[in-house]
Amino acid sequence: MYIIALMAEKKEKNWYISLMAPNQKGAGFAWLDPTRLYANAQALQDCIADLLEPFDASEIDLVAGIDSVGFILGTGIAIKLNKPMLAIRKKGGLCVKTFGEKYVDYQKTPKELEIRQDAFPEGTKVLIVDQWIETGGTMQAAVNLVERLKGKVAGMAAIAIESNKHEKAKELTMKYKCSHVIPSHLQSQIDNQYLESFKVFEDGKAGYAYNP
């Protein structure tokens, strides 16, 4: 009976995707909010485990999280792998000597990422982590910084990688080992920036983000 109960509680793979919330504030904001997923302990653990499926720990020396929400997944992944965690910051976030890389984000806003000049020795294998890859501009800037320090990009991980609109994002997925948690039957929804699971939010039935 106990074994049957455990089996009944086992969740479907990628179940946590439905926890993500739609943009409720209008233009100027991202089209969805993955941080609701992080407020569920099991969802966060399962998401991290799924992101790591394509990688072996021996392929990674260092995890680098992109400012700012990439810090959440990056730290979780680093702890899971028992690896160090490096913060790739937005311009002005570090009070030490840095290298900078300019880019244009998904809202077509010019920005700049920075990495500390003493971040790691040459040849370090770095897994770069962010929350989302849409246009690929932010991730490409992070890749450029890692390679400027003569590190090796072991791969990149994000909750989702949009696949149908942006050449830079496509180039990244072709050149580097990539991991995301979106199953193939939901990829078209991600590319069209609307999840069918948003209906529970529209109906007011989503409940609390934190649900003990």
Side-chain angles (χ1 to χ4, degrees):
M1 292 294 291
Y2 179 66
I3 295 175
I4 293 174
L6 286 178
M7 291 176 65
E9 292 174 4
K10 184 176 176 61
K11 296 180 181 295
E12 294 182 4
K13 189 173 178 62
N14 310 115
W15 64 275
Y16 45 81
I17 292 171
S18 63
L19 297 178
M20 297 191 292
N23 174 1
Q24 297 170 324
K25 289 188 173 181
F29 292 87
W31 67 275
L32 88 171
D33 173 33
T35 63
R36 195 171 183 274
L37 182 161
Y38 309 148
N40 182 301
Q42 190 61 57
L44 180 57
Q45 292 175 52
D46 290 353
C47 180
I48 288 170
D50 290 341
L51 283 172
L52 285 173
E53 276 189 0
F55 298 99
D56 186 274
S58 63
E59 299 176 282
I60 300 163
D61 298 321
L62 174 71
V63 179
I66 298 176
D67 198 342
S68 61
V69 188
F71 296 165
I72 298 172
L73 288 176
T75 299
I77 287 172
I79 291 171
K80 181 76 172 179
L81 292 175
N82 193 28
K83 303 288 184 178
M85 161 71 190
L86 172 70
I88 298 179
R89 298 299 308 272
K90 293 174 184 173
K91 185 178 180 179
L94 290 169
C95 64
V96 296
K97 292 181 179 180
T98 62
F99 291 120
E101 183 74 22
K102 294 180 180 179
Y103 68 101
V104 177
D105 73 1
Y106 69 97
Q107 294 179 324
K108 299 182 179 179
T109 303
K111 293 185 178 179
E112 187 171 347
L113 287 180
E114 292 184 329
I115 193 170
R116 57 188 307 128
Q117 292 185 8
D118 62 353
F120 50 78
E122 182 177 342
T124 299
K125 296 174 288 186
V126 183
L127 175 66
I128 307 176
V129 182
D130 203 359
Q131 179 170 262
W132 209 265
I133 301 176
E134 186 175 339
T135 64
T138 307
M139 182 59 73
Q140 183 65 66
V143 166
N144 292 347
L145 287 171
V146 168
E147 294 183 339
R148 184 172 178 179
L149 268 66
K150 298 184 179 180
K152 180 180 178 181
V153 177
M156 51 194 66
I159 288 177
I161 302 174
E162 295 186 28
S163 66
N164 67 344
K165 292 178 289 187
H166 304 288
E167 287 301 319
K168 190 173 292 183
K170 288 181 181 179
E171 291 171 5
L172 287 168
T173 60
M174 292 177 65
K175 187 174 181 180
Y176 302 99
K177 190 172 186 177
C178 295
S179 175
H180 65 84
V181 298
I182 304 300
S184 57
H185 71 279
L186 291 181
Q187 186 63 52
S188 62
Q189 293 181 36
I190 293 294
D191 293 340
N192 290 315
Q193 298 192 340
Y194 181 84
L195 292 171
E196 291 181 4
S197 56
F198 285 171
K199 292 177 181 177
V200 297
F201 296 91
E202 295 164 1
D203 296 339
K205 299 178 180 178
Y208 292 105
Y210 166 63
N211 187 12

Tab-separated table of all heavy atoms in Angstrom, residues 129-185:
chain	number	residue	atom	x	y	z
A	129	VAL	N	24.132	29.852	-17.102
A	129	VAL	CA	22.727	29.639	-16.761
A	129	VAL	C	21.965	30.961	-16.770
A	129	VAL	O	22.421	31.957	-16.219
A	129	VAL	CB	22.595	28.984	-15.366
A	129	VAL	CG1	21.132	28.724	-15.037
A	129	VAL	CG2	23.396	27.692	-15.306
A	130	ASP	N	20.809	30.961	-17.394
A	130	ASP	CA	19.896	32.099	-17.344
A	130	ASP	C	18.486	31.566	-17.212
A	130	ASP	O	18.242	30.364	-17.359
A	130	ASP	CB	20.044	32.968	-18.597
A	130	ASP	CG	19.566	34.399	-18.383
A	130	ASP	OD1	19.106	34.718	-17.275
A	130	ASP	OD2	19.660	35.201	-19.328
A	131	GLN	N	17.562	32.453	-16.963
A	131	GLN	CA	16.169	32.041	-16.805
A	131	GLN	C	15.529	31.677	-18.144
A	131	GLN	O	14.770	30.719	-18.231
A	131	GLN	CB	15.392	33.175	-16.143
A	131	GLN	CG	13.912	32.885	-15.926
A	131	GLN	CD	13.258	33.931	-15.071
A	131	GLN	OE1	13.101	33.722	-13.884
A	131	GLN	NE2	12.869	35.052	-15.647
A	132	TRP	N	15.876	32.436	-19.201
A	132	TRP	CA	15.179	32.322	-20.484
A	132	TRP	C	16.120	32.734	-21.599
A	132	TRP	O	16.949	33.615	-21.420
A	132	TRP	CB	13.979	33.268	-20.481
A	132	TRP	CG	12.823	32.850	-21.333
A	132	TRP	CD1	12.546	33.238	-22.622
A	132	TRP	CD2	11.767	31.974	-20.962
A	132	TRP	NE1	11.396	32.663	-23.057
A	132	TRP	CE2	10.883	31.871	-22.056
A	132	TRP	CE3	11.474	31.258	-19.799
A	132	TRP	CZ2	9.734	31.098	-22.031
A	132	TRP	CZ3	10.328	30.481	-19.763
A	132	TRP	CH2	9.472	30.408	-20.864
A	133	ILE	N	16.021	32.122	-22.755
A	133	ILE	CA	16.738	32.585	-23.942
A	133	ILE	C	15.704	32.897	-25.011
A	133	ILE	O	15.041	31.997	-25.530
A	133	ILE	CB	17.744	31.539	-24.448
A	133	ILE	CG1	18.780	31.212	-23.369
A	133	ILE	CG2	18.444	32.053	-25.721
A	133	ILE	CD1	19.764	30.119	-23.763
A	134	GLU	N	15.547	34.178	-25.304
A	134	GLU	CA	14.577	34.605	-26.312
A	134	GLU	C	15.312	35.026	-27.588
A	134	GLU	O	15.351	34.296	-28.568
A	134	GLU	CB	13.714	35.740	-25.780
A	134	GLU	CG	12.595	36.131	-26.747
A	134	GLU	CD	11.661	37.178	-26.167
A	134	GLU	OE1	11.605	37.333	-24.925
A	134	GLU	OE2	10.974	37.838	-26.959
A	135	THR	N	15.934	36.187	-27.579
A	135	THR	CA	16.672	36.640	-28.756
A	135	THR	C	18.085	36.078	-28.792
A	135	THR	O	18.707	36.017	-29.846
A	135	THR	CB	16.757	38.174	-28.789
A	135	THR	OG1	17.527	38.620	-27.659
A	135	THR	CG2	15.369	38.801	-28.724
A	136	GLY	N	18.603	35.703	-27.631
A	136	GLY	CA	19.969	35.198	-27.544
A	136	GLY	C	21.006	36.271	-27.270
A	136	GLY	O	22.187	35.967	-27.084
A	137	GLY	N	20.586	37.542	-27.216
A	137	GLY	CA	21.536	38.628	-27.021
A	137	GLY	C	22.258	38.574	-25.689
A	137	GLY	O	23.489	38.734	-25.629
A	138	THR	N	21.522	38.350	-24.614
A	138	THR	CA	22.119	38.298	-23.281
A	138	THR	C	23.067	37.109	-23.154
A	138	THR	O	24.191	37.235	-22.651
A	138	THR	CB	21.034	38.215	-22.200
A	138	THR	OG1	20.101	39.281	-22.380
A	138	THR	CG2	21.633	38.296	-20.811
A	139	MET	N	22.613	35.950	-23.608
A	139	MET	CA	23.444	34.747	-23.515
A	139	MET	C	24.698	34.878	-24.360
A	139	MET	O	25.792	34.470	-23.945
A	139	MET	CB	22.640	33.517	-23.942
A	139	MET	CG	23.396	32.204	-23.833
A	139	MET	SD	23.993	31.808	-22.159
A	139	MET	CE	22.445	31.366	-21.348
A	140	GLN	N	24.585	35.478	-25.544
A	140	GLN	CA	25.762	35.656	-26.388
A	140	GLN	C	26.788	36.553	-25.704
A	140	GLN	O	27.999	36.308	-25.784
A	140	GLN	CB	25.364	36.252	-27.734
A	140	GLN	CG	26.521	36.405	-28.712
A	140	GLN	CD	27.115	35.077	-29.126
A	140	GLN	OE1	26.454	34.274	-29.785
A	140	GLN	NE2	28.373	34.822	-28.755
A	141	ALA	N	26.316	37.591	-25.017
A	141	ALA	CA	27.230	38.472	-24.288
A	141	ALA	C	27.964	37.703	-23.201
A	141	ALA	O	29.173	37.881	-22.995
A	141	ALA	CB	26.458	39.646	-23.684
A	142	ALA	N	27.241	36.843	-22.484
A	142	ALA	CA	27.866	36.027	-21.439
A	142	ALA	C	28.890	35.067	-22.028
A	142	ALA	O	29.986	34.879	-21.476
A	142	ALA	CB	26.799	35.267	-20.664
A	143	VAL	N	28.551	34.444	-23.147
A	143	VAL	CA	29.478	33.545	-23.839
A	143	VAL	C	30.752	34.296	-24.227
A	143	VAL	O	31.871	33.811	-24.025
A	143	VAL	CB	28.810	32.937	-25.090
A	143	VAL	CG1	29.854	32.271	-25.999
A	143	VAL	CG2	27.749	31.924	-24.683
A	144	ASN	N	30.571	35.501	-24.775
A	144	ASN	CA	31.728	36.298	-25.197
A	144	ASN	C	32.650	36.608	-24.019
A	144	ASN	O	33.880	36.605	-24.151
A	144	ASN	CB	31.261	37.596	-25.853
A	144	ASN	CG	30.567	37.355	-27.189
A	144	ASN	OD1	30.634	36.262	-27.751
A	144	ASN	ND2	29.906	38.373	-27.704
A	145	LEU	N	32.045	36.884	-22.854
A	145	LEU	CA	32.848	37.190	-21.671
A	145	LEU	C	33.630	35.966	-21.199
A	145	LEU	O	34.811	36.057	-20.855
A	145	LEU	CB	31.958	37.717	-20.552
A	145	LEU	CG	31.421	39.133	-20.737
A	145	LEU	CD1	30.389	39.459	-19.668
A	145	LEU	CD2	32.557	40.161	-20.702
A	146	VAL	N	32.973	34.821	-21.164
A	146	VAL	CA	33.651	33.583	-20.755
A	146	VAL	C	34.812	33.283	-21.696
A	146	VAL	O	35.925	32.945	-21.260
A	146	VAL	CB	32.653	32.406	-20.719
A	146	VAL	CG1	33.385	31.070	-20.577
A	146	VAL	CG2	31.667	32.582	-19.567
A	147	GLU	N	34.577	33.414	-22.986
A	147	GLU	CA	35.615	33.101	-23.957
A	147	GLU	C	36.712	34.166	-23.977
A	147	GLU	O	37.857	33.869	-24.306
A	147	GLU	CB	34.986	32.917	-25.328
A	147	GLU	CG	34.071	31.684	-25.366
A	147	GLU	CD	33.473	31.393	-26.718
A	147	GLU	OE1	33.414	32.324	-27.559
A	147	GLU	OE2	33.041	30.237	-26.943
A	148	ARG	N	36.370	35.400	-23.602
A	148	ARG	CA	37.392	36.449	-23.503
A	148	ARG	C	38.409	36.101	-22.429
A	148	ARG	O	39.600	36.409	-22.554
A	148	ARG	CB	36.724	37.788	-23.193
A	148	ARG	CG	37.682	38.972	-23.152
A	148	ARG	CD	36.927	40.271	-23.031
A	148	ARG	NE	37.812	41.412	-22.945
A	148	ARG	CZ	37.393	42.675	-22.846
A	148	ARG	NH1	36.100	42.946	-22.839
A	148	ARG	NH2	38.260	43.669	-22.768
A	149	LEU	N	37.956	35.445	-21.356
A	149	LEU	CA	38.855	34.994	-20.299
A	149	LEU	C	39.469	33.636	-20.626
A	149	LEU	O	40.106	33.015	-19.785
A	149	LEU	CB	38.109	34.908	-18.968
A	149	LEU	CG	38.154	36.159	-18.080
A	149	LEU	CD1	37.421	37.313	-18.755
A	149	LEU	CD2	37.533	35.881	-16.719
A	150	LYS	N	39.257	33.168	-21.854
A	150	LYS	CA	39.796	31.902	-22.358
A	150	LYS	C	39.235	30.704	-21.602
A	150	LYS	O	39.903	29.673	-21.445
A	150	LYS	CB	41.324	31.914	-22.332
A	150	LYS	CG	41.916	32.990	-23.232
A	150	LYS	CD	43.429	32.926	-23.276
A	150	LYS	CE	43.987	34.006	-24.206
A	150	LYS	NZ	45.469	33.977	-24.269
A	151	GLY	N	37.988	30.876	-21.143
A	151	GLY	CA	37.282	29.741	-20.592
A	151	GLY	C	36.618	28.949	-21.713
A	151	GLY	O	36.485	29.434	-22.837
A	152	LYS	N	36.197	27.741	-21.400
A	152	LYS	CA	35.498	26.890	-22.364
A	152	LYS	C	34.024	26.813	-21.968
A	152	LYS	O	33.704	26.457	-20.842
A	152	LYS	CB	36.105	25.484	-22.383
A	152	LYS	CG	35.417	24.545	-23.360
A	152	LYS	CD	36.041	23.166	-23.347
A	152	LYS	CE	35.309	22.229	-24.307
A	152	LYS	NZ	35.899	20.865	-24.273
A	153	VAL	N	33.144	27.170	-22.883
A	153	VAL	CA	31.712	27.091	-22.601
A	153	VAL	C	31.290	25.620	-22.657
A	153	VAL	O	31.222	25.014	-23.728
A	153	VAL	CB	30.889	27.931	-23.601
A	153	VAL	CG1	29.396	27.764	-23.328
A	153	VAL	CG2	31.282	29.403	-23.510
A	154	ALA	N	31.018	25.061	-21.491
A	154	ALA	CA	30.602	23.660	-21.411
A	154	ALA	C	29.179	23.477	-21.914
A	154	ALA	O	28.783	22.382	-22.308
A	154	ALA	CB	30.718	23.164	-19.970
A	155	GLY	N	28.409	24.567	-21.871
A	155	GLY	CA	27.029	24.514	-22.319
A	155	GLY	C	26.254	25.656	-21.704
A	155	GLY	O	26.806	26.505	-21.006
A	156	MET	N	24.973	25.663	-21.982
A	156	MET	CA	24.096	26.675	-21.412
A	156	MET	C	22.779	26.021	-21.017
A	156	MET	O	22.325	25.063	-21.642
A	156	MET	CB	23.877	27.832	-22.387
A	156	MET	CG	23.445	27.433	-23.765
A	156	MET	SD	23.601	28.815	-24.948
A	156	MET	CE	25.372	29.033	-24.976
A	157	ALA	N	22.188	26.561	-19.962
A	157	ALA	CA	20.938	26.002	-19.453
A	157	ALA	C	19.962	27.132	-19.153
A	157	ALA	O	20.352	28.172	-18.619
A	157	ALA	CB	21.198	25.182	-18.187
A	158	ALA	N	18.709	26.931	-19.509
A	158	ALA	CA	17.649	27.894	-19.243
A	158	ALA	C	16.333	27.147	-19.199
A	158	ALA	O	16.211	26.047	-19.761
A	158	ALA	CB	17.601	28.962	-20.336
A	159	ILE	N	15.359	27.709	-18.542
A	159	ILE	CA	14.053	27.061	-18.496
A	159	ILE	C	13.534	26.814	-19.901
A	159	ILE	O	13.016	25.754	-20.221
A	159	ILE	CB	13.054	27.899	-17.683
A	159	ILE	CG1	13.403	27.836	-16.193
A	159	ILE	CG2	11.626	27.400	-17.896
A	159	ILE	CD1	12.514	28.690	-15.325
A	160	ALA	N	13.672	27.825	-20.769
A	160	ALA	CA	13.185	27.688	-22.138
A	160	ALA	C	14.107	28.405	-23.106
A	160	ALA	O	14.780	29.369	-22.752
A	160	ALA	CB	11.773	28.238	-22.265
A	161	ILE	N	14.118	27.913	-24.339
A	161	ILE	CA	14.826	28.560	-25.433
A	161	ILE	C	13.824	28.712	-26.572
A	161	ILE	O	13.346	27.709	-27.123
A	161	ILE	CB	16.038	27.731	-25.902
A	161	ILE	CG1	17.004	27.488	-24.741
A	161	ILE	CG2	16.743	28.437	-27.056
A	161	ILE	CD1	18.150	26.551	-25.084
A	162	GLU	N	13.476	29.932	-26.891
A	162	GLU	CA	12.555	30.153	-28.002
A	162	GLU	C	13.261	29.819	-29.304
A	162	GLU	O	14.427	30.141	-29.493
A	162	GLU	CB	12.037	31.589	-27.987
A	162	GLU	CG	11.178	31.868	-26.752
A	162	GLU	CD	10.525	33.237	-26.767
A	162	GLU	OE1	10.273	33.773	-27.860
A	162	GLU	OE2	10.274	33.769	-25.675
A	163	SER	N	12.535	29.181	-30.234
A	163	SER	CA	13.226	28.554	-31.358
A	163	SER	C	12.858	29.068	-32.741
A	163	SER	O	13.494	28.676	-33.715
A	163	SER	CB	12.949	27.042	-31.321
A	163	SER	OG	11.570	26.784	-31.550
A	164	ASN	N	11.864	29.926	-32.863
A	164	ASN	CA	11.364	30.178	-34.218
A	164	ASN	C	11.560	31.589	-34.757
A	164	ASN	O	11.094	31.902	-35.844
A	164	ASN	CB	9.870	29.840	-34.291
A	164	ASN	CG	9.017	30.790	-33.451
A	164	ASN	OD1	9.531	31.512	-32.600
A	164	ASN	ND2	7.714	30.795	-33.703
A	165	LYS	N	12.248	32.477	-34.011
A	165	LYS	CA	12.266	33.867	-34.463
A	165	LYS	C	13.653	34.491	-34.562
A	165	LYS	O	13.865	35.382	-35.379
A	165	LYS	CB	11.426	34.734	-33.506
A	165	LYS	CG	9.943	34.449	-33.554
A	165	LYS	CD	9.193	35.301	-32.558
A	165	LYS	CE	9.470	34.861	-31.140
A	165	LYS	NZ	8.621	35.560	-30.164
A	166	HIS	N	14.592	34.049	-33.769
A	166	HIS	CA	15.825	34.799	-33.627
A	166	HIS	C	17.050	33.979	-34.035
A	166	HIS	O	17.335	32.931	-33.451
A	166	HIS	CB	15.966	35.288	-32.186
A	166	HIS	CG	14.796	36.104	-31.728
A	166	HIS	ND1	14.573	37.378	-32.178
A	166	HIS	CD2	13.773	35.812	-30.890
A	166	HIS	CE1	13.460	37.852	-31.630
A	166	HIS	NE2	12.961	36.928	-30.846
A	167	GLU	N	17.768	34.482	-35.038
A	167	GLU	CA	18.906	33.764	-35.581
A	167	GLU	C	20.015	33.577	-34.542
A	167	GLU	O	20.669	32.546	-34.504
A	167	GLU	CB	19.453	34.502	-36.807
A	167	GLU	CG	18.578	34.380	-38.038
A	167	GLU	CD	18.364	32.938	-38.467
A	167	GLU	OE1	19.331	32.150	-38.427
A	167	GLU	OE2	17.220	32.594	-38.818
A	168	LYS	N	20.224	34.589	-33.701
A	168	LYS	CA	21.305	34.496	-32.717
A	168	LYS	C	21.052	33.344	-31.743
A	168	LYS	O	21.977	32.602	-31.392
A	168	LYS	CB	21.439	35.810	-31.958
A	168	LYS	CG	22.674	35.897	-31.076
A	168	LYS	CD	22.837	37.287	-30.498
A	168	LYS	CE	23.176	38.292	-31.581
A	168	LYS	NZ	23.420	39.650	-31.069
A	169	ALA	N	19.802	33.193	-31.319
A	169	ALA	CA	19.469	32.092	-30.419
A	169	ALA	C	19.683	30.746	-31.114
A	169	ALA	O	20.188	29.794	-30.512
A	169	ALA	CB	18.028	32.222	-29.937
A	170	LYS	N	19.309	30.665	-32.391
A	170	LYS	CA	19.516	29.433	-33.146
A	170	LYS	C	21.000	29.099	-33.261
A	170	LYS	O	21.407	27.944	-33.124
A	170	LYS	CB	18.905	29.568	-34.545
A	170	LYS	CG	17.384	29.562	-34.582
A	170	LYS	CD	16.893	29.678	-36.013
A	170	LYS	CE	15.376	29.703	-36.076
A	170	LYS	NZ	14.877	29.832	-37.468
A	171	GLU	N	21.807	30.119	-33.520
A	171	GLU	CA	23.249	29.910	-33.641
A	171	GLU	C	23.850	29.371	-32.345
A	171	GLU	O	24.714	28.497	-32.363
A	171	GLU	CB	23.929	31.220	-34.034
A	171	GLU	CG	23.620	31.671	-35.455
A	171	GLU	CD	24.132	33.069	-35.746
A	171	GLU	OE1	24.805	33.649	-34.861
A	171	GLU	OE2	23.849	33.588	-36.835
A	172	LEU	N	23.378	29.896	-31.226
A	172	LEU	CA	23.882	29.434	-29.936
A	172	LEU	C	23.559	27.954	-29.716
A	172	LEU	O	24.404	27.186	-29.242
A	172	LEU	CB	23.282	30.268	-28.807
A	172	LEU	CG	23.810	31.696	-28.663
A	172	LEU	CD1	22.939	32.490	-27.702
A	172	LEU	CD2	25.254	31.692	-28.181
A	173	THR	N	22.332	27.559	-30.046
A	173	THR	CA	21.924	26.166	-29.831
A	173	THR	C	22.652	25.211	-30.759
A	173	THR	O	22.820	24.034	-30.435
A	173	THR	CB	20.406	26.001	-30.003
A	173	THR	OG1	20.023	26.399	-31.329
A	173	THR	CG2	19.640	26.849	-28.999
A	174	MET	N	23.083	25.708	-31.899
A	174	MET	CA	23.825	24.861	-32.835
A	174	MET	C	25.294	24.728	-32.432
A	174	MET	O	25.917	23.695	-32.651
A	174	MET	CB	23.719	25.432	-34.248
A	174	MET	CG	22.324	25.352	-34.843
A	174	MET	SD	22.216	26.110	-36.494
A	174	MET	CE	23.272	25.016	-37.438
A	175	LYS	N	25.839	25.764	-31.824
A	175	LYS	CA	27.272	25.783	-31.504
A	175	LYS	C	27.592	25.162	-30.155
A	175	LYS	O	28.659	24.564	-29.985
A	175	LYS	CB	27.778	27.225	-31.535
A	175	LYS	CG	29.287	27.352	-31.378
A	175	LYS	CD	29.751	28.788	-31.560
A	175	LYS	CE	31.268	28.899	-31.421
A	175	LYS	NZ	31.746	30.291	-31.603
A	176	TYR	N	26.656	25.299	-29.196
A	176	TYR	CA	26.923	24.852	-27.830
A	176	TYR	C	25.883	23.838	-27.357
A	176	TYR	O	24.745	23.817	-27.834
A	176	TYR	CB	26.925	26.043	-26.869
A	176	TYR	CG	27.931	27.106	-27.218
A	176	TYR	CD1	27.531	28.252	-27.910
A	176	TYR	CD2	29.276	26.973	-26.885
A	176	TYR	CE1	28.449	29.246	-28.254
A	176	TYR	CE2	30.203	27.957	-27.219
A	176	TYR	CZ	29.782	29.086	-27.907
A	176	TYR	OH	30.687	30.057	-28.246
A	177	LYS	N	26.290	23.036	-26.406
A	177	LYS	CA	25.368	22.096	-25.779
A	177	LYS	C	24.368	22.882	-24.942
A	177	LYS	O	24.754	23.701	-24.105
A	177	LYS	CB	26.150	21.123	-24.893
A	177	LYS	CG	25.343	19.946	-24.378
A	177	LYS	CD	26.282	18.962	-23.691
A	177	LYS	CE	25.563	17.697	-23.287
A	177	LYS	NZ	26.493	16.711	-22.673
A	178	CYS	N	23.087	22.667	-25.183
A	178	CYS	CA	22.048	23.453	-24.515
A	178	CYS	C	21.059	22.547	-23.801
A	178	CYS	O	20.780	21.426	-24.230
A	178	CYS	CB	21.287	24.309	-25.523
A	178	CYS	SG	22.301	25.566	-26.312
A	179	SER	N	20.520	23.072	-22.722
A	179	SER	CA	19.519	22.338	-21.955
A	179	SER	C	18.375	23.260	-21.591
A	179	SER	O	18.594	24.408	-21.183
A	179	SER	CB	20.155	21.765	-20.686
A	179	SER	OG	19.176	21.139	-19.876
A	180	HIS	N	17.154	22.771	-21.777
A	180	HIS	CA	15.968	23.471	-21.291
A	180	HIS	C	14.940	22.422	-20.886
A	180	HIS	O	15.165	21.224	-21.076
A	180	HIS	CB	15.414	24.428	-22.352
A	180	HIS	CG	14.886	23.747	-23.578
A	180	HIS	ND1	13.615	23.232	-23.669
A	180	HIS	CD2	15.475	23.502	-24.776
A	180	HIS	CE1	13.416	22.704	-24.865
A	180	HIS	NE2	14.549	22.847	-25.554
A	181	VAL	N	13.841	22.848	-20.311
A	181	VAL	CA	12.899	21.876	-19.751
A	181	VAL	C	11.550	21.855	-20.482
A	181	VAL	O	10.603	21.250	-19.995
A	181	VAL	CB	12.658	22.152	-18.247
A	181	VAL	CG1	13.949	22.017	-17.465
A	181	VAL	CG2	12.026	23.522	-18.023
A	182	ILE	N	11.472	22.479	-21.639
A	182	ILE	CA	10.210	22.530	-22.374
A	182	ILE	C	10.074	21.295	-23.264
A	182	ILE	O	10.886	21.085	-24.165
A	182	ILE	CB	10.130	23.803	-23.232
A	182	ILE	CG1	10.321	25.044	-22.364
A	182	ILE	CG2	8.798	23.861	-23.979
A	182	ILE	CD1	9.313	25.216	-21.257
A	183	PRO	N	9.057	20.469	-23.046
A	183	PRO	CA	8.852	19.298	-23.912
A	183	PRO	C	8.429	19.730	-25.309
A	183	PRO	O	7.908	20.833	-25.499
A	183	PRO	CB	7.738	18.517	-23.197
A	183	PRO	CG	7.030	19.529	-22.372
A	183	PRO	CD	8.049	20.544	-21.967
A	184	SER	N	8.637	18.864	-26.281
A	184	SER	CA	8.401	19.226	-27.679
A	184	SER	C	6.960	19.664	-27.945
A	184	SER	O	6.722	20.556	-28.766
A	184	SER	CB	8.763	18.045	-28.585
A	184	SER	OG	8.018	16.891	-28.227
A	185	HIS	N	5.998	19.080	-27.225
A	185	HIS	CA	4.605	19.429	-27.510
A	185	HIS	C	4.224	20.817	-26.991
A	185	HIS	O	3.166	21.340	-27.349
A	185	HIS	CB	3.647	18.373	-26.936
A	185	HIS	CG	3.546	18.365	-25.439
A	185	HIS	ND1	4.479	17.736	-24.634
A	185	HIS	CD2	2.631	18.910	-24.600
A	185	HIS	CE1	4.143	17.882	-23.374
A	185	HIS	NE2	3.030	18.598	-23.321
